[in-house]
Amino acid sequence: MRPVQRGELLDLATYEKMREDVRREIIAAKAPRRVHVGAHVTVLFENRRTIWYQVQEMLRTERITDAAGVAHELDTYNEILGGPGELGATLLIEIDDPAERAVKLREWLDLPRHVYARLDDGTRVRPVFDARQVGAERLSSVQYLRFAVGGRVPVAIGIDLPSLAEETALSAEQRRALEADLAADR
């Protein structure tokens, strides 16, 4: 997917004036891109607009205005988008209890090798994870991944780690949203 460019970002004052409207728009855009896989894992597919929003929010929260800081945020979040024919996503491990979450993040250390997108012909596409988010002893509860689906829309997202084994079929609305994101590359 084409990366978000510096010229597309708004200055903090302009963004602040538009923020509530933008926030509503982004919540609506994320809804069909959010896939729950079992009780504790959500995969949120990203696109240029959701990444633009993430950058704007980081700039706002951290009050970043210097060129180097803005460039760093753009580079960091644009990595999630991946290249042509790929789908970028944020994987969220959602466990409210901090003690239980700490245990599971150690137990599920192998999770990155067990996530997949299933295509209509049954092919399982494993994502590339950001290695900086997987420690020697535990995972981060937020993971960034890219599925090299070759421009094809997945029909399901799954996990085959025995303790988390689950697959979620994508709805027609979810497939249409991902199809639109992939079409934006062409």
Side-chain angles (χ1 to χ4, degrees):
M1 215 172 274
R2 189 171 59 83
V4 176
Q5 302 295 313
R6 172 65 180 103
E8 297 172 76
L9 298 175
L10 302 173
D11 65 82
L12 296 180
T14 302
Y15 179 66
E16 196 66 49
K17 290 176 191 169
M18 303 171 55
R19 185 169 180 256
E20 283 310 309
D21 290 335
V22 168
R23 187 173 177 279
R24 280 190 291 279
E25 173 204 335
I26 296 300
I27 288 170
K30 286 183 177 186
R33 292 171 174 82
R34 188 178 310 277
V35 181
H36 298 285
V37 185
H40 300 296
V41 176
T42 298
V43 175
L44 174 61
F45 286 96
E46 306 285 1
N47 65 16
R48 291 188 80 252
R49 189 66 176 161
T50 65
I51 292 299
W52 174 87
Y53 175 73
Q54 293 288 50
V55 172
Q56 286 288 170
E57 282 294 303
M58 285 304 297
L59 299 179
R60 176 186 175 272
T61 301
E62 300 293 329
R63 309 311 287 172
I64 298 169
T65 57
D66 65 286
V70 172
H72 173 75
E73 295 303 324
L74 279 168
D75 291 345
T76 299
Y77 286 98
N78 275 329
E79 278 183 31
I80 299 169
L81 289 174
E86 292 184 330
L87 289 170
T90 302
L91 182 143
L92 307 159
I93 298 172
E94 301 173 310
I95 301 172
D96 291 334
D97 178 51
E100 179 185 359
R101 184 174 51 247
V103 169
K104 294 299 183 188
L105 291 175
R106 285 190 298 277
E107 284 179 11
W108 298 341
L109 185 60
D110 209 24
L111 177 64
R113 291 199 300 266
H114 292 276
V115 176
Y116 62 88
R118 186 168 50 80
L119 303 178
D120 59 355
D121 66 359
T123 302
R124 288 184 176 187
V125 177
R126 303 289 176 170
V128 173
F129 272 74
D130 183 341
R132 296 170 292 196
Q133 295 174 289
V134 180
E137 296 182 18
R138 69 183 287 271
L139 285 173
S140 168
S141 60
V142 176
Q143 298 286 320
Y144 300 121
L145 48 148
R146 291 184 319 277
F147 293 92
V149 294
R152 296 171 62 191
V153 178
V155 297
I157 303 299
I159 299 170
D160 56 15
L161 185 68
S163 60
L164 277 176
E166 188 85 34
E167 182 177 279
T168 301
L170 300 183
S171 69
E173 180 184 23
Q174 290 169 322
R175 291 191 311 272
R176 280 191 302 273
L178 298 182
E179 182 176 36
D181 294 343
L182 288 165
D185 278 347
R186 298 184 198 125

